[in-house]
Amino acid sequence: MKRASDFFDRYAQWLFPLPALLAIAVLIVGPVLANFYISLHNWFIGLPPTFVGLDNFQEALADRRFWNGVRNTFYFTLLAVPIQLVLGLGIAVLFNREFPGKGLVRTIILLPMVATPVAIALIWALMFNPSLGVLNYFLESLGLPRSLWVANADLVIPSLVMVDVWEWTPMIALILLAALQGIPGEYYEAARIDGATGIQAFLHITLPSIRSAIVVALILRTVDALKTFDIIYVITGGGPGIASETLNVFAFKTGFQFFRAGYSASLLIFLMFLVLGVAILLNLARRGGK
């Protein structure tokens, strides 16, 4: 017993994190390595794989549909995340004040965040229906022309962004609200005594105080938006044509509709490095801003 106790005391710094390291190896590193191995093969599901080296990556770089997926991925992300940040900040500032029914309103606004993404996508698909959807009913009630929404190649990405904004703005509001509640009230009291207006207090006290929380929310939502799959695939399947086909939707269709597992794996490797690169750049920007 004493020898076992001595062993654990001597190697405690390695033994305690070992379960976590094993879990990371099994759940993260293993699938990534397996995906990379598959990407090096020309593998039609159901047939034996053939080693082709980096041919799948070269094919992707010359594939017009790959670049369309990259463009749509960034278009969706760059449109959705800024809108969510602005609306989330506005909601957080509102909920940082006292007003009647605040608890009920806050609960209602946070509901989209806890709903199932596929269920949300199905409901919005019905709402987008050009003939029967409630959105066109509202437009007609306001005297505006009907819209094709996700059936229009020019409107499909903004329409999908609307769904993403509706679903994930509450999460940003929640993060920023927690940061706002940590700002000492004395700061605002001192600013008011010095004659600062509400806008000046917001610009010079509120925003600098919650800058770290804003950057964290920006990183979390950007990484998640780059990977968005469920609402896009359920509502449009990447259509009309390939107008809303993001990189991961293209990879899914390549793997499970065209059964090209090797090429699909190479697309996902590109997506992984794309997300990783954006996350590293945002993190470097956060550190540089300190």
Side-chain angles (χ1 to χ4, degrees), residues 2 32 66 72 103 132 143 153 185 189-191 232 272 288:
K2 188 174 185 309
V32 169
F66 166 77
N72 285 340
L132 306 173
E189 186 64 23
I232 297 174
M272 182 186 72

Side-chain angles (χ1 to χ4, degrees), residues 117-127 234-235:
V118 173
I120 290 173
L122 290 172
I123 293 171
W124 275 91
L126 291 173
M127 293 169 62
V234 172
I235 294 177

Side-chain angles (χ1 to χ4, degrees), residues 122-261:
L122 290 172
I123 293 171
W124 275 91
L126 291 173
M127 293 169 62
F128 282 134
N129 187 296
S131 302
L132 306 173
V134 69
L135 295 179
N136 273 343
Y137 170 78
F138 288 139
L139 288 180
E140 287 184 331
S141 300
L142 296 172
L144 298 172
R146 300 169 71 89
S147 174
L148 291 176
W149 300 106
V150 293
N152 184 320
D154 294 326
L155 293 179
V156 61
I157 294 285
S159 300
L160 292 169
V161 164
M162 193 160 60
V163 182
D164 197 67
V165 168
W166 180 83
E167 182 180 6
W168 291 114
T169 295
M171 188 192 81
I172 291 182
L174 207 59
I175 294 172
L176 299 186
L177 178 60
L180 284 173
Q181 292 179 343
I183 302 175
E186 291 81 2
Y187 291 180
Y188 295 104
E189 186 64 23
R192 189 182 63 79
I193 293 172
D194 288 341
T197 65
I199 294 177
Q200 288 173 327
F202 178 77
L203 293 176
H204 298 290
I205 296 176
T206 304
L207 283 182
S209 299
I210 64 171
R211 185 178 60 187
S212 297
I214 292 174
V215 175
V216 168
L218 174 66
I219 293 174
L220 289 175
R221 276 309 304 146
T222 301
V223 169
D224 200 41
L226 287 169
K227 301 182 299 175
T228 301
F229 173 80
D230 35 30
I231 62 171
I232 297 174
Y233 188 76
V234 172
I235 294 177
T236 68
I242 55 172
S244 64
E245 190 178 74
T246 54
L247 192 52
N248 53 0
V249 172
F250 178 39
F252 177 85
K253 291 163 77 173
T254 302
F256 294 97
Q257 293 184 7
F258 309 136
F259 304 113
R260 297 190 62 192

